[in-house]
């Protein structure tokens, strides 16, 4: 296909490629990697913005995703989640203290 589409539109067409990448990550020891995590990583680290690409470019990006980039992405996401949880706990405690 020579058709150019937004990367999000290609998602249904690349499931086998994502599965292959996840299998590769599992072999490398990243047992909990999922297709959704790989896709999210590509959106945030590789494509970064709403971009338009051809199908072969999407496939190439998936297959060439470096495990180090993926792990960096996961670490940042975990840190962000924990930071958000901490802030929510602080706000909850602060709110209780003000109400008392």
């Amino acid at each position: 296909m020579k058709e150019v589409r937004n990367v999000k539109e290609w998602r249904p067409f690349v499931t086998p490629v994502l599965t292959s990448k996840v299998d590769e990550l599992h072999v490398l020891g990243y047992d909990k990697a999922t297709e959704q995590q790989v896709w999210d990583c590509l959106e945030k680290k590789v494509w970064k913005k709403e971009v338009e690409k051809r199908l072969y470019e999407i496939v190439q990006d998936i297959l060439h995703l470096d495990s180090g980039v993926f792990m960096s992405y996961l670490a940042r996401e975990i840190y962000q989640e924990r930071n958000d949880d901490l802030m929510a706990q602080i706000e909850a405690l602060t709110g209780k203290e003000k109400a008392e």
Side-chain angles (χ1 to χ4, degrees):
M1 281 187 191
K2 293 184 179 184
E3 183 177 350
V4 176
R5 294 186 186 183
N6 183 285
V7 293
K8 292 177 192 252
E9 293 177 42
W10 288 119
R11 176 70 165 89
F13 298 94
V14 296
T15 301
V17 182
L18 287 168
T19 301
S20 176
K21 178 51 89 173
V22 168
D23 290 345
E24 175 188 327
L25 291 167
H26 288 177
V27 168
L28 294 173
Y30 307 117
D31 298 333
K32 296 186 179 187
T34 66
E35 292 175 16
Q36 188 60 52
Q37 288 172 328
V38 170
W39 185 260
D40 292 344
C41 175
L42 288 161
E43 284 187 322
K44 292 180 181 177
K45 291 286 194 175
V46 177
W47 302 320
K48 295 181 184 178
K49 297 179 182 180
E50 298 282 324
V51 296
E52 303 218 341
K53 291 188 168 235
R54 291 178 172 80
L55 180 57
Y56 78 88
E57 293 171 315
I58 298 295
V59 170
Q60 180 178 344
D61 289 343
I62 294 168
L63 294 176
H64 287 103
L65 178 63
D66 183 77
S67 61
V69 171
F70 180 70
M71 288 312 296
S72 170
Y73 162 77
L74 285 183
R76 175 168 260 160
E77 290 296 305
I78 289 169
Y79 175 78
Q80 185 64 43
E81 286 175 17
R82 288 186 180 164
N83 193 31
D84 290 346
D85 289 345
L86 178 61
M87 291 305 293
Q89 290 173 3
I90 291 170
E91 288 173 7
L93 289 172
T94 304
K96 285 183 181 178
E97 288 177 5
K98 288 180 181 176
E100 295 176 349

